[in-house]
């Protein structure tokens, strides 16, 4: 929009002030010799000359305004694929796990802390009365989990980017890729425009757990139930940030060797940890939903979930098994509601166990989880 004042006399000059929205104020000045003359022709010529300058200025400002609007519109455009584009293919948990199994993680393995360091009486008590030690043949698989937990998101790694895209598309139900950075990540419960900034407590393992959750056909309906609750008008919570906290709890329970007995029985670590993560998120979901919790209660709920998970790992896994069995039977497990998306056919729990056997199985270690400082261990919080 253009605003301008009428002619005004300033000494011996004739001035016209033009102000354009979003641009500077321009002033046209013409000598007044023509007005001082008695010749009407000179006055007319002076006005015509000034009018031409004004017209040129107005045209220039119109072009500037048009260019400014086009530039602002360009800044707001998010790169995205169209229906005719080829979206990034989804990645399975196994494929992502195999990537880490074949990647040199030697430097990361030097910094892991797979067990709690105990000294003195605590070490003796743990040795005599604590859980059994993990079988020697499973130590390499356990260490892989903690090494992945040390990994950071690498934008140059195709597998890393596919994991991010898969999580987003499976939760949102989209076919198309989304930009690497942007507010759309907040839609699935990250705290900002870059998911990597939320993984400081669990590293890439936090994404791997979520990948397992959304890619397993039996747990996907539960993941979508939890995601739906996270969008509730009053009971909402950040889905992905909460998921990272569940990974943190699962890692701590593994580090305290509370899962060793189950790992030894099933002869695998990744599969047990994956299911324990889901069981922990299920426990939180049921508490949150049935007790009408809100984000203000998150600290207390996380602490309660963490304490229960550490004391009752076997019961947690058993609850998940019963929950999935009820869902397969067509019933509505406690703490849930009917959801058309949740009634998708899925393989039996026995089939899942067979697919997940061994370190090469379906269940993969979550990458990017960082070891917690000693003074932070056991503390419940939203990362």
């Amino acid at each position: 929009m253009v605003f301008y004042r009428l002619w005004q006399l300033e000494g011996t000059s004739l001035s016209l002030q033009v102000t354009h929205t979003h641009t500077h104020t321009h002033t046209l000045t013409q000598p007044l010799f023509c007005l001082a003359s008695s010749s009407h022709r000179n006055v007319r010529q002076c006005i015509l000359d000034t009018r031409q300058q004004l017209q040129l200025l107005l045209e220039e400002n119109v072009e500037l305004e048009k260019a400014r609007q086009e530039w602002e519109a360009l800044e707001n455009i998010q790169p995205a694929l169209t229906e005719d584009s080829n979206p990034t293919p989804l990645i399975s948990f196994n494929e992502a796990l195999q990537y880490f199994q074949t990647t040199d993680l030697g430097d990361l393995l030097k910094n892991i802390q797979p067990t709690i360091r105990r000294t003195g009486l605590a070490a003796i008590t743990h040795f005599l009365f604590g859980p059994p030690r993990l079988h020697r043949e499973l130590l390499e698989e356990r260490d892989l989990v903690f090494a992945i937990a040390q990994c950071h998101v690498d934008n140059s790694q195709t597998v890393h980017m596919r994991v991010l895209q898969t999580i987003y598309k499976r939760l949102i139900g989209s076919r198309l890729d989304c930009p690497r950075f942007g507010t759309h990540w907040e839609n699935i419960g990250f705290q900002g425009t870059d998911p990597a900034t939320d993984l400081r407590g669990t590293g890439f393992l936090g994404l791997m757990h979520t990948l397992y959750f959304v890619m397993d056909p039996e747990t996907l309906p539960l993941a979508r139930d939890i995601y739906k609750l996270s969008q509730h008008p009053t009971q909402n919570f950040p889905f992905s940030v909460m998921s990272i906290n569940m990974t943190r709890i699962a890692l701590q329970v593994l580090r305290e060797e509370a899962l060793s007995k189950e790992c030894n029985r099933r002869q695998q670590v990744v599969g047990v940890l994956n299911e324990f993560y889901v069981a922990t998120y299920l426990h939180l979901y049921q508490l949150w939903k049935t007790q009408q919790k809100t984000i203000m209660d998150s600290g207390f709920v996380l602490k309660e979930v963490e304490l229960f998970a550490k004391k009752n790992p076997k019961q947690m896994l058993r609850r998940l098994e019963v929950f999935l069995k009820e869902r397969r039977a067509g019933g509505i497990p406690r703490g849930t509601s009917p959801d058309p998306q949740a009634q998708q056919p899925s393989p039996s729990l026995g089939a899942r166990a067979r697919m997940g056997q061994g370190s090469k199985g379906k269940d993969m270690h979550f990458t990017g989880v960082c070891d917690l400082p000693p003074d932070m261990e056991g503390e419940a919080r939203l990362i």
Side-chain angles (χ1 to χ4, degrees):
M1 185 176 294
V2 179
F3 303 92
Y4 59 94
R5 297 183 187 180
L6 295 176
W7 306 100
Q8 55 184 5
L9 295 177
E10 298 179 358
T12 60
S13 298
L14 176 67
S15 297
L16 176 66
Q17 193 176 71
V18 182
T19 303
H20 196 285
T21 307
H22 305 297
T23 63
H24 299 292
T25 297
H26 300 273
T27 302
L28 292 179
T29 303
Q30 279 288 87
L32 285 180
F33 71 90
C34 56
L35 296 181
S37 172
S38 60
S39 171
H40 294 290
R41 180 180 179 279
N42 290 340
V43 173
R44 185 180 301 108
Q45 188 61 44
C46 176
I47 295 175
L48 289 175
D49 291 344
T50 305
R51 182 180 297 171
Q52 290 177 354
Q53 290 188 38
L54 174 61
Q55 184 64 31
L56 290 174
L57 178 62
L58 293 179
E59 291 175 356
E60 178 185 357
N61 277 271
V62 169
E63 292 299 321
L64 287 174
E65 175 65 6
K66 183 178 179 181
R68 183 192 65 79
Q69 292 176 349
E70 291 177 350
W71 178 253
E72 289 183 350
L74 182 62
E75 289 181 327
N76 293 328
I77 294 176
Q78 292 281 3
L81 295 177
T82 64
E83 292 290 343
D84 295 330
S85 301
N86 295 322
T88 302
L90 300 179
I91 187 170
S92 68
F93 184 83
N94 269 347
E95 184 178 353
L97 179 57
Q98 290 169 3
Y99 162 79
F100 286 104
Q101 289 172 330
T102 56
T103 299
D104 183 8
L105 303 177
D107 291 339
L108 298 176
L109 288 169
K110 298 176 183 178
N111 301 318
I112 65 173
Q113 183 186 338
T115 59
I116 295 295
R117 297 184 182 128
R118 297 177 175 88
T119 58
L121 182 60
I124 297 174
T125 302
H126 180 75
F127 178 79
L128 295 176
F129 306 106
R133 291 180 177 272
L134 192 68
H135 290 171
R136 183 178 299 274
E137 61 269 22
L138 297 177
L139 295 180
E140 183 179 353
E141 185 180 353
R142 177 204 63 186
D143 291 350
L144 173 63
V145 172
F146 286 99
I148 295 174
Q150 293 284 340
C151 293
H152 301 289
V153 175
D154 187 346
N155 294 335
S156 67
Q157 291 295 333
T158 302
V159 169
H160 288 206
M161 296 301 101
R162 287 178 63 194
V163 169
L164 278 172
Q165 293 290 343
T166 298
I167 291 171
Y168 181 84
K169 288 190 280 192
R170 293 287 275 185
L171 283 175
I172 297 296
S174 171
R175 287 181 55 254
L176 303 181
D177 288 356
C178 63
R180 170 64 181 84
F181 304 98
T183 56
H184 51 277
W185 293 112
E186 298 174 11
N187 296 335
I188 61 171
F190 288 103
Q191 294 184 106
T193 59
D194 181 7
T197 60
D198 289 334
L199 299 174
R200 55 188 176 274
T202 60
F204 205 85
L205 188 63
L207 294 179
M208 289 297 294
H209 267 150
T210 310
L211 177 67
Y212 170 81
F213 205 7
V214 300
M215 286 303 289
D216 187 301
E218 192 165 21
T219 60
L220 175 60
L222 174 59
R224 285 176 170 165
D225 281 346
I226 299 176
Y227 177 67
K228 182 179 179 181
L229 179 62
S230 76
Q231 305 295 305
H232 192 275
T234 58
Q235 290 190 266
N236 59 82
F237 57 87
F239 175 89
S240 295
V241 172
M242 195 67 81
S243 174
I244 292 168
N245 275 272
M246 298 304 100
T247 297
R248 177 184 61 80
I249 293 173
L251 275 176
Q252 189 62 20
V253 174
L254 178 65
R255 182 180 283 117
E256 293 182 4
E257 302 177 90
L259 292 176
S260 296
K261 184 176 182 179
E262 184 65 16
C263 291
N264 291 340
R265 186 183 71 83
R266 292 171 52 177
Q267 282 298 293
Q268 59 173 306
V269 176
V270 174
V272 172
L273 186 65
N274 284 346
E275 290 191 12
F276 189 77
Y277 153 82
V278 175
T280 305
Y281 214 160
L282 170 63
H283 185 60
L284 178 136
Y285 167 64
Q286 292 175 329
L287 284 176
W288 200 279
K289 186 178 181 70
T290 58
Q291 298 182 17
Q292 301 291 307
K293 299 298 184 182
T294 68
I295 194 64
M296 299 296 293
D297 305 308
S298 60
F300 300 102
V301 176
L302 282 170
K303 188 65 176 179
E304 181 179 348
V305 170
E306 182 170 354
L307 291 175
F308 187 86
K310 288 181 177 181
K311 293 180 179 179
N312 307 279
K314 184 176 181 180
Q315 186 178 345
M316 293 278 286
L317 291 169
R318 175 59 181 165
R319 283 184 176 183
L320 175 63
E321 183 180 359
V322 172
F323 177 90
L324 296 176
K325 183 177 180 180
E326 290 179 358
R327 172 157 271 171
R328 285 196 307 273
I332 302 173
R334 290 177 296 174
T336 63
S337 58
D339 186 343
Q341 291 180 320
Q343 304 304 321
Q344 301 174 7
S346 57
S348 65
L349 192 60
R352 290 176 63 227
R354 288 192 297 273
M355 288 188 291
Q357 288 177 352
S359 62
K360 302 293 184 181
K362 170 185 178 182
D363 296 311
M364 164 184 182
H365 286 291
F366 294 93
T367 54
V369 181
C370 303
D371 290 319
L372 297 174
D375 60 338
M376 297 286 284
E377 290 179 357
E379 179 183 348
R381 65 203 181 282
L382 277 177
I383 296 174

